[in-house]
């Protein structure tokens, strides 16, 4: 191919994608040029007919380009042909350039449409109506959410398929008016993207009418439709934010302000209305008096504020707490935070700031400081020591009171190990305390430990410690204790004396038994011999003497028995068991049979009604019943034909009611109060020790029961006892 | 009580007090409780006697009155040793505790011993003997 042509192609075309028609044309041109520039065949000039044919083709080409008119009619001579060819070449190049440009513009337009989500369209107007299909750009299809070509581009299809039903009328009216009157419209309306009511979008549409210049009637309506949903949403959000901002500004308790510092006199640019709440002055008042902000500052704080504001000129923001006096004279604590703006030259041009009412916070702070002070003073003046020890058992904090207690200064104690201050014998206790606290944090553990005193020696301290290693405020073992040395010493002394007492008591008990046995044994021997001797003789005088001796010895024996019972009652613990009254009364009956063998024909009646388990000390009940029954026998009335003693027992889980009734000689009323006294006897004739009823009373007291009596001399006596069940 | 009809052939009385041994012998004989009374002044001597005569059924007592409070070896110590004697001895002898002890614990301890069949308080009287003879 001809070089020139090749150059042209490479300059204006993408050689690889040259349209086929162009290739043929370029070939032809190339050949022609070759023919001209190759003088190798001058001797073989072209046939006239051939030249004529070439000429004709060149003219045709020029016609195609529309530039043949101005050409002189030239012959088909070679020079003309060359001229023509040059012309064709030029036109060809121009056309290529134009096409190129057009292509670029199209591409540009398309890109813009895509970027702006704007689709363009053109519809023919026929008799002021949009009936004919027109042109929709690809992007318009995209805006509508439709595939290009799937739909005839008519106004009717557009409105029916995509426009929100509520907005169809609105759109038609606007379009109608534009065609008939204004020639232009610019409206917003809603569409269903892809015809889907769920995909609501807002579009803006601008339409322009192209008129027939002669008639003024509308020819075409050209327009652009673009999706402004996102823009609208953003705008709406922005508006909302603005409104809220405004609201916030109005309701904020903090006061915002901006002040221009450019002129000599400061000029307030803006101030939030909340200044009325904070200062008691309105925005207007602040605008009117530029110095008002300074006037309201509490006199004592003015200097500090001015000093702080110097930072602003250096471009540093300031934060300062001071007091202001409100319009009503009330003092308020405020905190102001100001950010300065400097000019390029470093001059302060503007400040923006917030003033916050911190009166409440300040008061709370002061109250806290105050309460801290009180608390500390309480701690320091308390007699209890309060300590905090680390996990490694080193003192982190101790109160002055500990120092007073043990003589070391607070500084000497802090940092030392707990073990250094605690008696070596108590280290095991400390370890067990730690163990207990590990098991159950938050539960205070009680302790008694010996602490080292600086002057030597030890003091006993009693208190508790709690595991606060995971505490929020205080981390560590918190101890709280006091000097109880005197108490412990007292207790130790008490324990020792208690032990001595116990020992004495035991000894006394053993003593009582052994003495009573040693006393009784010979008595029993004498009694035995007396009885034996009495059975050997018939002599009345001797029998009477021996009988008196026997009575006396029996009295002594009973006395010993009573003392023994008394001792047992006073000293022995109560042993609670289910009481078997049947068995108990049978024993008593046996016992009495020996005691009063052959002495009296006393009737002994027993009525027992056991309604459930009754618990008490059976041995003690036995003692008191034995005493009451033997009293009844001893003081039976010999005059009566049927002397008796009757024991009635009604027992159950609630307790036991015991009645011992006799028809004996009775007790005169004046003695009723006294008969339970120790060693009290109604008459010298009475054969008792004077311990019996005392023992009964003591035993009943021990069993938490009560006793009462009814007695009429000559008629008999009734003892009524109630014993609670101790089970 | 029929004086010619003895309750027991041989009755042993173990007591450190001479007066009690004396009284027991008198009472037992008078009321024909025993044909022969074997007084022993200590638990040790009583045990020796039983041990020595364990093969001699005739010499062994039918009943033993045993005191509790005795020096060196008391009634309960005796019972511990008695336990070790052969069945032949234990089968023949009935043991009755006879004491002036008022300790309820003593009575309980005695009654819980399998070889003791009764607990009597001193002094020994005719009435008490009746209880032993006809329990």
């Amino acid at each position: 191919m001809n070089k020139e042509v090749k150059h042209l192609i490479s300059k204006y075309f993408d050689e690889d994608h040259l349209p086929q028609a162009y290739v043929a044309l370029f070939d032809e041109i190339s050949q022609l040029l070759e023919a001209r520039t190759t003088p190798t065949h001058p001797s073989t000039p072209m046939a006239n007919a051939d030249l004529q044919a070439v000429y004709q083709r060149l003219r045709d080409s020029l016609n195609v380009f529309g530039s043949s008119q101005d050409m002189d009619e030239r012959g088909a001579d070679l020079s003309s042909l060359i001229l023509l060819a040059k012309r064709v070449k030029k036109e060809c190049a121009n056309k290529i350039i134009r096409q190129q440009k057009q292509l670029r513009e199209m591409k540009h337009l398309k890109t813009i449409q895509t970027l702006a989500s704007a689709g363009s369209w053109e519809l023919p107007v026929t008799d002021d109506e949009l009936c004919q299909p027109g042109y929709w750009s690809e992007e318009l299809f995209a805006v509508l959410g439709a595939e290009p070509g799937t739909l005839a581009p008519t106004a009717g299809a557009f409105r029916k398929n995509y426009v929100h039903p509520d907005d169809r009328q609105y759109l038609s009216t606007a379009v109608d008016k534009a065609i008939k009157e204004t020639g232009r419209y610019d409206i917003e309306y809603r569409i269903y993207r892809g015809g889907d009511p769920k995909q609501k979008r807002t579009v803006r549409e601008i339409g322009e009418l192209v008129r027939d210049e002669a008639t003024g009637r509308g020819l075409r309506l050209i327009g652009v439709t673009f999706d402004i949903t996102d823009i609208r949403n953003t705008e709406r959000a922005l508006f909302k934010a603005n409104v809220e901002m405004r609201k916030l500004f109005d309701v904020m308790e903090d006061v915002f302000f901006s002040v221009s510092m450019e002129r000599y006199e400061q000029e307030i640019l803006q101030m939030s209305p909340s200044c009325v709440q904070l200062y008691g002055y309105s925005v207007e008042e602040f605008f009117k008096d530029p110095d008002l902000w300074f006037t309201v500052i509490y006199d004592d704080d003015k200097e500090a504020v001015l000093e702080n504001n110097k930072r602003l000129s250096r471009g540093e923001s300031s934060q300062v707490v001071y007091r202001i006096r409100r319009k009503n004279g009330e003092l308020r604590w405020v905190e102001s935070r100001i950010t300065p703006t400097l000019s390029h030259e470093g001059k302060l041009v503007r400040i923006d700031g917030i003033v916050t009412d911190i009166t409440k916070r300040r008061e709370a702070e002061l109250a806290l400081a105050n309460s801290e002070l009180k608390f500390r003073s309480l701690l320091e003046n308390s007699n209890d020591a309060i300590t905090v020890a680390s996990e490694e058992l080193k003192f982190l904090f101790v109160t002055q009171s500990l120092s007073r207690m043990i003589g070391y200064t607070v500084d000497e104690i802090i940092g030392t190990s707990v073990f250094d201050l605690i008696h070596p014998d108590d280290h095991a206790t400390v370890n067990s305390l730690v163990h207990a606290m590990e098991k159950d944090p938050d539960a205070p553990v009680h302790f008694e430990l010996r602490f080292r005193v600086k002057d030597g020696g030890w003091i006993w301290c009693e208190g508790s410690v709690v595991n606060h290693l995971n505490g929020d405020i205080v981390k560590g073992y918190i101890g709280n204790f006091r000097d109880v040395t005197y108490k412990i010493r007292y207790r130790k002394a008490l324990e020792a004396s208690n032990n001595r007492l116990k020992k004495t008591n035991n000894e006394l008990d053993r003593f009582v038994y052994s003495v009573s046995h040693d006393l009784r044994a010979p008595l029993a021997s004498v009694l035995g011999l007396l009885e034996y001797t009495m059975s050997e003789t018939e002599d009345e005088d001797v029998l009477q003497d021996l009988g008196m001796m026997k009575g006396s010895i029996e009295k002594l024996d009973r006395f010993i028995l009573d003392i023994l019972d008394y001792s047992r009652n006073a000293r022995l613990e109560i042993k609670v068991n289910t009481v078997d009254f049947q068995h108990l009364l049978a024993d008593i009956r046996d016992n009495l049979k020996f005691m009063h063998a052959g002495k009296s024909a006393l009737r002994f009646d027993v009525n027992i009604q056991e309604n459930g388990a009754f618990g008490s000390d059976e041995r003690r009940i036995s003692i008191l019943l034995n005493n009451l029954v033997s009293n009844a026998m001893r003081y039976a009335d010999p005059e009566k034909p049927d002397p008796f003693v009757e024991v009635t027992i009604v027992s159950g889980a609630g307790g036991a009611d015991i009645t011992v009734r006799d028809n004996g000689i009775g007790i005169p009323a004046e003695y009723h109060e006294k008969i339970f006294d120790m060693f009290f006897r109604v008459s010298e004739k009475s054969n008792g020790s004077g311990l019996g009823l005392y023992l009964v009373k003591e035993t009943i007291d021990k069993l938490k029961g009560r006793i009462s009596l009814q007695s009429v001399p000559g008629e008999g006596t009734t003892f009524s006892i109630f014993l609670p069940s101790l089970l | 009580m029929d004086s010619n009809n003895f309750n027991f052939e041989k009755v042993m009385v173990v007591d450190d007090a001479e007066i009690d041994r004396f009284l027991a012998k008198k009472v037992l004989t008078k009321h024909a409780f025993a044909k022969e009374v074997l007084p022993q002044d200590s638990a040790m001597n009583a045990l020796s006697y039983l041990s020595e005569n364990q093969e001699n059924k005739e010499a062994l007592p039918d009943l033993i009155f045993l005191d509790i409070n005795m020096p060196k070896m008391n009634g309960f110590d005796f019972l511990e040793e008695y336990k070790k004697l052969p069945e032949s001895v234990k089968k023949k002898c009935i043991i009755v505790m006879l004491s002036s002890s008022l300790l309820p614990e003593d009575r309980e301890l005695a009654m819980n011993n399998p070889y003791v069949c009764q607990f009597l308080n001193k002094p020994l009287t005719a009435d008490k003997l009746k209880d032993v003879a006809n329990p």
Side-chain angles (χ1 to χ4, degrees):
Chain A
M1 200 177 273
N2 178 280
K3 262 189 193 165
E4 258 179 285
V5 175
K6 218 173 182 174
H7 174 70
L8 268 174
I9 292 168
S10 72
K11 192 170 175 188
Y12 296 111
F13 293 93
D14 179 353
E15 284 170 273
D16 298 332
H17 299 94
L18 208 58
Q20 204 51 50
Y22 289 5
V23 174
L25 187 59
F26 288 140
D27 272 346
E28 213 163 313
I29 293 167
S30 187
Q31 278 167 20
L32 284 173
L33 289 174
E34 285 295 327
R36 175 182 60 97
T37 52
T38 314
T40 42
H41 308 292
S43 54
T44 50
M46 284 163 130
N48 201 33
D50 288 346
L51 287 174
Q52 196 60 48
V54 170
Y55 174 79
Q56 197 50 54
R57 286 204 62 178
L58 285 170
R59 283 211 69 101
D60 287 351
S61 295
L62 278 174
N63 277 335
V64 168
F65 292 124
S67 62
S68 61
Q69 304 96 323
D70 58 329
M71 283 281 295
D72 293 337
E73 287 293 327
R74 278 183 174 262
D77 58 299
L78 199 60
S79 66
S80 292
L81 280 182
I82 290 167
L83 202 71
L84 272 175
K86 272 186 175 165
R87 189 77 184 256
V88 167
K89 178 183 150 195
K90 196 173 160 224
E91 286 297 337
C92 198
N94 279 345
K95 177 158 187 185
I96 289 163
I97 290 163
R98 271 201 313 278
Q99 275 187 340
Q100 197 83 30
K101 197 178 162 201
Q102 209 176 353
L103 233 110
R104 263 207 310 275
E105 276 170 356
M106 267 172 69
K107 207 170 167 189
H108 182 69
L109 189 67
K110 209 178 158 194
T111 310
I112 283 174
Q113 288 202 358
T114 310
L115 285 176
S117 284
S120 60
W121 46 267
E122 188 177 329
L123 292 168
V125 178
T126 319
D127 298 333
D128 292 349
E129 295 286 346
L130 299 169
C131 300
Q132 305 298 314
Y135 162 78
W136 289 0
S137 76
E138 273 182 32
E139 193 51 36
L140 183 62
F141 281 100
V143 168
L144 295 177
E147 257 325 288
T150 53
L151 185 83
T154 64
F158 177 80
R159 289 177 197 169
K160 191 173 130 249
N161 289 320
Y162 299 104
V163 179
H164 191 290
D166 293 353
D167 291 354
R168 281 177 199 159
Q169 189 55 47
Y170 171 63
L171 174 62
S172 323
T173 310
V175 171
D176 223 33
K177 203 175 166 198
I179 294 173
K180 288 183 179 140
E181 300 167 28
T182 56
R184 193 177 195 277
Y185 68 91
D186 181 352
I187 59 166
E188 282 174 23
Y189 58 88
R190 290 163 294 170
I191 61 163
Y192 289 153
R193 194 146 188 262
D196 179 3
K198 275 182 208 147
Q199 294 191 47
K200 231 183 268 172
R201 310 287 292 178
T202 304
V203 296
R204 181 179 173 189
E205 188 170 293
I206 302 167
E208 188 92 43
L209 187 71
V210 178
R211 296 176 196 273
D212 182 328
E213 277 173 32
T215 63
R217 295 198 56 123
L219 289 176
R220 295 191 306 276
L221 193 62
I222 302 172
V224 55
T225 304
F226 44 100
D227 192 328
I228 55 165
T229 312
D230 294 340
I231 299 168
R232 277 290 166 272
N233 283 348
T234 312
E235 276 176 359
R236 221 171 281 134
L238 201 66
F239 179 73
K240 217 170 134 199
N242 251 328
V243 168
E244 274 169 12
M245 214 29 190
R246 187 73 225 167
K247 245 193 259 168
L248 199 67
F249 199 66
D250 288 346
V251 301
M252 270 295 268
E253 286 179 9
D254 294 353
V255 177
F256 295 85
F257 62 89
S258 300
V259 179
S260 165
M261 309 295 280
E262 275 179 294
R263 296 193 211 144
Y264 173 70
E265 206 165 65
Q266 301 165 356
E267 187 198 358
I268 296 172
L269 298 174
Q270 59 172 323
M271 190 145 197
S272 60
S274 47
C275 61
V276 181
Q277 280 95 41
L278 206 160
Y279 291 101
Y281 293 101
S282 67
V283 177
E284 288 71 33
E285 282 171 297
F286 275 101
F287 274 100
K288 219 188 284 170
D289 179 0
D291 289 330
L292 186 57
W293 70 273
F294 188 71
T295 314
V296 296
I297 295 172
Y298 185 62
D299 285 348
D300 290 2
D301 293 348
K302 275 180 174 153
E303 206 170 321
V305 173
L306 285 178
E307 193 57 39
N308 206 282
N309 281 357
K310 284 184 185 165
R311 301 163 60 90
L312 297 173
S313 346
R314 295 200 296 270
E316 296 164 18
S317 55
S318 95
Q319 179 166 2
V320 56
V321 171
Y322 55 93
R323 284 160 291 181
I324 57 122
R325 200 174 278 287
R326 296 186 79 229
K327 200 175 185 179
N328 64 5
E330 200 185 326
L331 274 181
R332 287 275 173 96
W333 278 97
V334 298
E335 181 187 64
S336 87
R337 276 163 289 163
I338 304 177
T339 313
T341 309
L342 298 186
S343 66
H344 290 300
E345 297 86 48
K347 198 172 157 284
L348 182 65
V349 290
R350 179 188 159 121
I351 56 169
D352 297 277
I354 306 173
V355 181
T356 311
D357 187 340
I358 56 160
T359 311
K360 282 202 181 100
R361 195 179 87 196
R362 190 75 189 173
E363 277 168 0
E365 277 170 6
L366 287 174
L368 188 68
N370 208 3
S371 83
E372 249 179 41
L373 209 69
K374 270 189 210 159
F375 191 55
R376 182 159 278 275
S377 145
L378 272 177
L379 275 183
E380 292 302 337
N381 291 308
S382 154
N383 279 328
D384 279 22
I386 293 166
T387 61
V388 180
S390 67
E391 198 169 0
E392 297 78 32
L393 295 181
K394 286 204 161 66
F395 283 113
L396 300 172
F397 167 86
V398 301
T399 49
Q400 197 63 44
S401 35
L402 179 62
S403 169
R404 284 197 298 273
M405 230 181 253
I406 62 174
Y408 292 101
T409 65
V410 169
D411 289 341
E412 281 173 324
I413 300 168
I414 301 281
T416 58
S417 167
V418 168
F419 291 111
D420 290 345
L421 283 178
I422 286 176
H423 196 286
D425 291 356
D426 290 346
H427 287 181
T429 312
V430 173
N431 288 326
S432 69
L433 287 175
V434 171
H435 185 66
M437 286 189 292
E438 265 169 19
K439 260 172 55 188
D440 190 4
D442 300 332
V445 186
H446 185 84
F447 66 76
E448 270 174 17
L449 295 165
R450 277 160 290 180
F451 277 77
R452 186 191 297 279
V453 180
K454 196 174 186 180
D455 319 340
W458 305 89
I459 56 165
W460 274 101
C461 287
E462 171 203 83
S464 59
V465 58
V466 66
N467 179 353
H468 256 268
L469 288 172
N470 295 318
D472 293 331
I473 300 161
V474 181
K475 290 189 198 305
Y477 295 112
I478 304 178
N480 166 20
F481 50 90
R482 59 214 70 86
D483 181 356
V484 290
T485 311
Y486 71 96
K487 202 171 124 188
I488 299 274
R489 279 192 192 135
Y490 181 70
R491 203 182 65 200
K492 300 256 172 206
L494 207 64
E495 274 168 12
S497 98
N498 203 23
N499 281 338
R500 272 200 304 278
L501 266 175
K502 263 187 198 154
K503 198 171 158 241
T504 312
N505 232 342
N506 278 336
E507 282 168 1
L508 201 62
D509 228 25
R510 279 207 302 278
F511 176 75
V512 167
Y513 280 120
S514 101
V515 166
S516 67
H517 176 260
D518 291 353
L519 286 174
R520 266 207 95 215
L523 285 182
S525 308
V526 171
L527 267 180
L529 270 178
L530 272 175
E531 270 185 39
Y532 175 75
T533 314
M534 283 166 89
S535 69
E536 288 288 276
T537 181
E538 301 284 316
D539 188 327
E540 284 298 319
D541 285 347
V542 173
L543 277 175
Q544 197 187 347
D545 291 352
L546 290 177
M548 282 169 72
M549 281 167 71
K550 193 180 168 218
S552 188
I553 286 167
E554 273 172 352
K555 189 176 160 187
L556 188 55
D557 192 32
R558 203 151 32 247
F559 189 60
I560 292 165
L561 280 170
D562 284 351
I563 286 177
L564 196 62
D565 284 344
Y566 167 73
S567 159
R568 292 185 71 81
N569 181 52
R571 266 185 260 290
L572 288 189
E573 294 291 316
I574 294 176
K575 249 169 124 183
V576 179
N577 279 310
T578 305
V579 178
D580 179 354
F581 280 109
Q582 299 285 4
H583 183 253
L584 192 71
L585 267 298
D587 276 359
I588 290 168
R589 190 193 286 276
D590 284 354
N591 199 22
L592 291 172
K593 206 164 68 190
F594 288 116
M595 251 182 81
H596 303 275
K599 242 200 255 170
S600 68
L602 192 80
R603 180 159 58 84
F604 183 31
D605 289 343
V606 174
N607 305 305
I608 298 170
Q609 200 184 317
E610 285 173 309
N611 307 321
F614 165 76
S616 193
D617 189 332
E618 195 166 300
R619 202 164 279 163
R620 282 188 166 87
I621 295 177
S622 161
I623 288 169
L624 75 90
L625 282 178
N626 259 317
N627 269 287
L628 290 174
V629 172
S630 58
N631 268 357
M633 291 189 166
R634 199 171 295 143
Y635 303 113
D637 190 345
E639 307 293 310
K640 295 216 172 89
D642 176 30
F644 70 88
V645 58
E646 181 190 87
V647 177
T648 307
I649 294 168
V650 180
S651 72
D657 281 302
I658 302 171
T659 316
V660 181
R661 188 166 74 95
D662 64 47
N663 59 350
I665 57 173
I667 304 163
E670 64 257 44
Y671 300 131
H672 287 191
E673 298 263 309
K674 290 184 178 168
I675 55 164
F676 296 111
D677 290 353
M678 200 180 204
F679 300 124
F680 177 82
R681 285 183 296 166
V682 173
S683 74
E684 298 78 46
K685 278 185 275 172
S686 63
N687 206 17
S689 60
L691 275 173
L693 284 177
Y694 171 71
L695 192 55
V696 166
K697 181 78 172 75
E698 289 283 295
T699 306
I700 285 169
D701 285 350
K702 201 91 178 182
L703 297 177
K704 300 178 173 66
R706 50 180 187 268
I707 183 167
S708 61
L709 88 145
Q710 279 181 309
S711 184
V712 177
E715 284 184 16
T717 306
T718 304
F719 285 96
S720 303
I721 298 165
F722 172 77
L723 295 175
S725 177
L726 301 175
L727 268 182
Chain B
M1 195 175 289
D2 191 352
S3 311
N4 302 315
N5 210 350
F6 297 107
N7 287 102
F8 298 97
E9 277 294 313
K10 270 191 170 64
V11 172
M12 181 185 269
V13 177
V14 187
D15 203 314
D16 61 312
E18 194 186 353
I19 184 170
D20 287 346
R21 294 198 300 276
F22 171 75
L23 177 64
K25 192 170 180 179
K26 288 248 174 194
V27 172
L28 292 176
T29 318
K30 178 178 165 67
H31 297 288
F33 188 80
K35 204 174 188 177
E36 191 189 344
V37 179
L38 290 171
Q40 294 290 346
D41 63 356
S42 75
M44 290 84 76
N45 290 340
L47 279 170
S48 315
Y49 178 87
L50 292 174
S51 184
E52 277 163 22
N53 297 290
Q54 55 180 276
E55 299 304 326
N56 183 0
K57 235 184 170 184
E58 293 294 305
L60 289 173
D62 306 299
L63 189 133
I64 304 170
F65 283 111
L66 178 66
D67 188 22
I68 292 173
N69 291 286
M70 290 180 288
K72 286 186 188 165
M73 186 185 246
N74 68 22
F76 295 113
D77 299 332
F78 171 89
L79 287 171
E80 281 301 301
E81 293 300 317
Y82 178 80
K83 201 163 67 181
K84 299 171 191 162
L85 291 173
E87 285 300 314
S88 56
V89 177
K90 289 185 281 188
K91 252 186 190 154
K92 189 167 183 209
C93 304
I94 299 167
I95 297 179
V96 174
M97 298 300 271
L98 179 65
S99 169
S100 56
S101 170
L102 296 168
L103 281 177
E105 291 85 349
D106 281 351
R107 174 185 274 271
E108 259 168 46
L109 197 58
M111 293 313 290
N112 286 336
N113 191 294
Y115 306 111
V116 174
C117 70
Q118 231 171 336
F119 186 96
L120 295 181
N121 261 311
K122 284 180 185 174
L124 196 58
T125 61
D127 284 347
K128 288 176 191 170
L129 284 182
K130 268 183 217 162
D131 266 9
V132 178
N134 314 295

